[in-house]
Amino acid sequence: MRTNLHLLLFLCLSCYLSISNGTELIIVNNCKESIWPGILGTAGHETPNNGGFHLNIGQQVVIQLPNLWSGRIWGRQGCCFDVNGKGSCQTGDCSGLLNCSGAGGIPPATLVEMTLGTSNNPKHYYDVSLVDGFNIPVSMIPISGSIGCGVAACEADLNQSCPEYLALKCQGKIVGCKSACLATNSPKYCCTGEFASKNTCKPTAFSQFFKTICPRAYSYAFDESTGLKSCKASRYLITFCPPT
Ligand SMILES: *[C@@H]1O[C@H](CO)[C@@H](O)[C@H](O)[C@H]1NC(C)=O
Ligand SMILES: *[C@@H]1O[C@H](CO)[C@@H](O)[C@H](O)[C@H]1NC(C)=O
């Protein structure tokens, strides 16, 4: 009886600790090439791991995030850095640095965005966004989360079918696919100016193209067809080039 009570206390304590100790991200490179993830905290939130690191094929890192963290993660590919961490990447480059340290990635880049609770709402919200274009397939999957936890993802290699007009090429090879907003910078595609509301910003032929190939990702600024995922989990798996 006494042992059971101790066990119960221990279980309650560990469950309490796992809830109050922030969130763990497991970031995996399942691509057939090296990638260099970038990570950036939203204003007022810390940027863990100096903002960027290298992941070999098959390698993973675990990142411990503080409570109520908010920010984004993206992948960089085709990078080359010197011993001082200076160089460049074909896509997702952040000021030519291995450690992005607060710099964002140059689009087109597939973004994983998340808000892991706010002071008045403990729920986690996350999505995969193609609003700034696509470079690497990625998914975010909660591990043993609560009911309603869903998968946010763009699993397909969008650059294979990217229209010529939106393609970002490097030495003749397509390495990224721009969103129509990025390619044209026009208010209609960027949902700015007179198009800056849900009623005036509608899907376009280009956002439909993204949507058809990656239905579980945001394809334009007011895309609500996927819904933001809302969840409460203590760990999430983020996989670059997830198995399809
Ligand atoms: C980059 O960050 C790593 C830790 O993630 C650190 O060990 C390294 O010194 C940093 N490099 C530079 C050039 O700041
Ligand atoms: C698309 O880009 C990714 C990385 O950005 C690259 O690994 C892949 O080979 C590209 N696909 C094609 C068909 O060029």
Side-chain angles (χ1 to χ4, degrees):
M1 188 60 202
R2 205 190 160 100
T3 336
N4 279 346
L5 199 65
H6 278 143
L7 186 65
L8 203 65
L9 272 173
F10 171 76
L11 284 175
C12 284
L13 190 67
S14 50
C15 130
Y16 170 76
L17 285 177
S18 73
I19 286 169
S20 63
N21 262 358
T23 312
E24 200 172 84
L25 297 182
I26 304 161
I27 303 179
V28 182
N29 177 14
N30 192 46
C31 300
K32 294 193 183 78
E33 59 180 3
S34 261
I35 57 160
W36 289 259
I39 182 164
L40 175 64
T42 308
H45 295 271
E46 72 173 66
T47 285
N49 292 45
N50 287 327
F53 47 91
H54 174 227
L55 280 185
N56 258 316
I57 301 171
Q59 203 184 355
Q60 68 175 51
V61 296
V62 177
I63 296 182
Q64 203 67 49
L65 296 171
N67 259 329
L68 311 184
W69 190 77
S70 172
R72 57 168 61 177
I73 294 175
W74 70 98
R76 295 172 285 170
Q77 58 74 232
C79 305
C80 184
F81 296 108
D82 65 16
V83 287
N84 299 315
K86 290 194 177 134
S88 66
C89 303
Q90 289 174 1
T91 59
D93 192 59
C94 58
S95 315
L97 300 171
L98 169 61
N99 295 346
C100 298
S101 310
I106 297 174
T110 324
L111 297 179
V112 182
E113 306 172 310
M114 67 197 82
T115 294
L116 304 174
T118 56
S119 53
N120 49 19
N121 181 357
K123 273 207 160 161
H124 297 170
Y125 293 92
Y126 52 97
D127 66 80
V128 166
S129 170
L130 303 174
V131 172
D132 284 336
F134 167 93
N135 69 334
I136 305 176
V138 66
S139 67
M140 177 160 175
I141 301 174
I143 299 174
S144 64
S146 59
I147 294 165
C149 292
V151 175
C154 177
E155 290 115 326
D157 185 358
L158 248 158
N159 51 14
Q160 274 183 34
S161 45
C162 184
E164 179 71 22
Y165 169 70
L166 298 176
L168 174 72
K169 292 185 182 174
C170 182
Q171 288 155 4
K173 190 176 162 247
I174 299 177
V175 293
C177 190
K178 296 175 202 166
S179 62
C181 166
L182 187 62
T184 64
N185 202 23
S186 91
K188 180 183 171 196
Y189 295 120
C190 295
C191 300
T192 52
E194 60 174 306
F195 298 96
S197 83
K198 205 168 77 176
N199 293 330
T200 52
C201 183
K202 296 295 178 196
T204 63
F206 297 109
S207 69
Q208 299 279 20
F209 156 74
F210 280 70
K211 196 81 213 171
T212 307
I213 302 174
C214 284
R216 295 198 280 188
Y218 266 89
S219 59
Y220 69 104
F222 289 91
D223 183 4
E224 285 178 341
S225 54
T226 34
L228 202 57
K229 300 295 177 262
S230 116
C231 183
K232 187 78 183 113
S234 49
R235 309 167 83 194
Y236 294 86
L237 180 64
I238 294 175
T239 309
F240 287 98
C241 307
T244 44

